[in-house]
Amino acid sequence: MKIFKKMIFISVFAMLLSACSNSISLKGCPDAEIEWVDMLMIDDIKYEHHFPEPANENLPITIEKGREIGKVKYEMADSACSNHKMQNGDAAFLKVGTIIYEIKGYPTSLVVAANDVVYVANTNKKAKTAGELYPMDKLVKNIYIQSTEDGKRMHTFSQSSKDKFLATFDDLKLEDVQSLIDEGKLEGTRLFLEIELNNGVSFRLLYWGDFNTFHIGAIGNDEIKEIINDEVTNLGK
């Protein structure tokens, strides 16, 4: 059963956190078909490219590239099986030699750029809190509730709720995601929260109210549950 849950987690989260993935069939792999998400790894941090939702495609994104922080050394979609363990310099679809840049004004532990595309941190083993995984202080423009059907923005957090959410979210402890899956704490009715940064880049947080948990492994407290519930109550007003 644990193996089944893990397979479901990989498949569902690949679809939910990135609106696009590509199927690759490789000879010599035990997999009939591999669903790769557009991701890369540098400085021991895994990043994903979060494609814009249909409703947000025309929103402006301002990216000013800074210093070079690395290069792609291995393109996984060409030769890696699904059991491949990512290493620094690995990327799903970026060509070998592609330069990875910092984005001026934003910590590289949060976002990086390659081929004029933004990649958002997804996994950082050094991070112990949600704020260490997503260092967003003074970098967030808005927080939205998205439709779980088509990803469209349905509601914008009030300024006070946004500020309270970010201050509280920053200190939430991160737990092992697989352990939460095994315990059934990433199941049931979920909520899509979209974090929009000041430069227009956005990414999604999945939240399960029954267990007060986020997909990144963050465990909510009473305050953050109250903030989210208040905004859900105001949905459509």
Side-chain angles (χ1 to χ4, degrees):
M1 181 60 70
K2 290 184 178 181
I3 295 176
F4 176 75
K5 285 187 175 181
K6 185 173 182 179
M7 291 173 63
I8 291 297
F9 169 77
I10 293 172
S11 175
V12 171
F13 276 65
M15 290 187 290
L16 294 180
L17 297 183
S18 293
C20 180
S21 62
N22 290 277
S23 299
I24 304 292
S25 296
L26 294 175
K27 294 181 180 180
C29 288
D31 318 272
E33 192 174 73
I34 305 172
E35 292 281 346
W36 286 116
V37 174
D38 189 1
M39 56 186 176
L40 64 84
M41 182 171 177
I42 194 76
D43 293 333
D44 297 324
I45 301 175
K46 292 181 182 179
Y47 301 83
E48 289 185 3
H49 169 48
H50 295 261
F51 293 79
E53 301 294 346
N56 307 330
E57 288 180 347
N58 296 321
L59 295 180
I61 295 178
T62 304
I63 303 171
E64 185 178 1
K65 290 186 293 189
R67 63 185 176 88
E68 175 184 330
I69 61 173
K71 293 182 179 180
V72 175
K73 300 178 182 178
Y74 180 67
E75 184 181 353
M76 297 187 298
D78 276 347
S79 54
C81 297
S82 63
N83 60 357
H84 172 73
K85 293 184 179 180
M86 288 189 73
Q87 301 179 22
N88 290 326
D90 286 0
F93 304 116
L94 297 175
K95 300 300 182 182
V96 173
T98 301
I99 299 175
I100 303 167
Y101 297 93
E102 71 171 354
I103 298 175
K104 289 186 177 180
Y106 295 80
T108 56
S109 56
L110 176 61
V111 289
V112 296
N115 281 356
D116 296 321
V117 169
V118 176
Y119 290 80
V120 181
N122 182 58
T123 305
N124 182 351
K125 292 183 178 180
K126 296 179 182 178
K128 303 301 181 184
T129 65
E132 290 177 356
L133 178 60
Y134 292 145
M136 302 183 292
D137 185 38
K138 299 180 181 178
L139 298 176
V140 177
K141 181 179 180 181
N142 284 308
I143 299 177
Y144 306 95
I145 296 176
Q146 294 180 328
S147 166
T148 56
E149 295 181 358
D150 58 16
K152 291 182 179 180
R153 294 172 179 175
M154 300 171 59
H155 175 73
T156 305
F157 274 36
S158 67
Q159 183 65 43
S160 60
S161 289
K162 184 194 82 170
D163 293 341
K164 290 177 183 177
F165 177 92
L166 293 173
T168 305
F169 182 78
D170 202 56
D171 295 327
L172 297 182
K173 301 297 183 182
L174 294 178
E175 302 291 341
D176 178 66
V177 174
Q178 187 58 52
S179 295
L180 294 180
I181 296 171
D182 293 340
E183 294 168 8
K185 292 184 177 180
L186 296 183
E187 296 179 358
T189 303
R190 63 187 183 276
L191 186 70
F192 286 2
L193 299 178
E194 178 189 351
I195 307 296
E196 180 188 16
L197 302 179
N198 293 331
N199 61 3
V201 172
S202 65
F203 59 94
R204 179 182 293 163
L205 288 173
L206 273 63
Y207 173 76
W208 285 266
D210 291 341
F211 300 100
N212 203 12
T213 54
F214 295 86
H215 78 274
I216 57 174
I219 307 299
N221 53 24
D222 290 341
E223 184 175 3
I224 208 154
K225 188 178 183 69
E226 181 179 357
I227 294 168
I228 294 174
N229 286 342
D230 285 345
E231 290 302 314
V232 170
T233 300
N234 291 323
L235 188 64
K237 291 184 179 180

